[in-house]
């Protein structure tokens, strides 16, 4: 089943913006020396998240993430990535650009999906998820998740993902 929307426009109103710069990502990129080196030249924005959060039981939240193109010692710009504190699925819909969605569960099993305009990706509730911009332009996607999911960044910050996405 396919739908073509010629003049598609997506509006999140005045959703607040979160900015993640390289300095916020020190513990997430693999090459720590390259991060330190990069920070000597500046503190580039890696990605921005425009999120509408509805914090009530049974509620849904939604966010557009914009990841800039670029890499740190070959590792493409990406989100921090997180597990949900409470297992609950999430939907991603690609809007612009080209990327990958890296999924890994607590047993270490991986799944990789592509993110591209119009593509819907399902994140199972027990999988950590990280999105990666593998293209030359901004990667933009919409995510929908439950109000009760919560964020566990600490596990990924400590142990990372088993796979990293690098420029070849
Ligand atoms: C998607 C969703 C958000 C998340 C954002 C950035 O939009 O999964 O919940 O905040 O990506 O990812 P992270 O929180 O891992 O930095
Ligand atoms: Zn999530």
């Amino acid at each position: 089943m396919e739908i073509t929307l010629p003049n598609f426009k997506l509006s999140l109103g005045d959703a607040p913006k979160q900015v993640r710069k390289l300095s916020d990502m020190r513990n997430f990129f693999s090459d720590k020396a390259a991060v330190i080196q990069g920070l000597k030249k500046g503190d580039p924005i890696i990605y921005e998240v425009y999120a509408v959060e509805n914090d009530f039981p049974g509620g849904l939240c939604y966010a557009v993430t914009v990841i800039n193109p670029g890499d740190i010692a070959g590792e493409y710009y990406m989100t921090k990535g997180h597990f949900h504190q409470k297992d609950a699925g999430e939907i991603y819909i690609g809007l612009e650009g080209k990327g990958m969605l890296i999924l890994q569960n607590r047993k270490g099993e991986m799944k990789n999906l592509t993110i591209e305009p119009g593509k819907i990706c399902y994140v199972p509730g027990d999988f950590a998820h990280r999105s990666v911009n593998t293209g030359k332009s901004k990667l933009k996607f919409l995510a929908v998740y439950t109000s009760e999911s919560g964020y566990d960044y600490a596990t990924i910050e400590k142990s990372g993902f088993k796979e990293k996405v690098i420029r070849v």
Side-chain angles (χ1 to χ4, degrees), residues 81-84 88-92 123 127-129 143-146 149-151 153:
H82 59 271
F83 280 98
H84 289 161
E90 183 163 346
I91 295 287
Y92 276 44
V123 179
F127 275 75
H129 35 292
V144 182
Y145 47 100
T146 74
S149 304
Y151 293 91
Y153 289 108

Side-chain angles (χ1 to χ4, degrees), residues 62-83:
Y62 50 97
V64 168
T65 298
V66 180
I67 309 179
N68 286 323
D71 67 87
I72 301 296
E75 186 173 23
Y76 285 117
Y77 281 10
M78 61 190 186
T79 60
K80 289 183 173 185
H82 59 271
F83 280 98

Side-chain angles (χ1 to χ4, degrees), residues 6 8 12 18 21 32-33 40 49 54 72 75 91 93 110 118 120 130 133 135-136 156:
F8 177 74
L12 267 77
Q18 273 189 332
K21 296 184 170 187
K32 310 293 180 235
K40 285 184 186 156
V49 184
N54 292 303
I72 301 296
E75 186 173 23
I91 295 287
I93 304 173
M110 306 277 316
I120 301 172
R130 164 178 285 163
N133 185 350
K136 292 192 167 77
I156 297 300

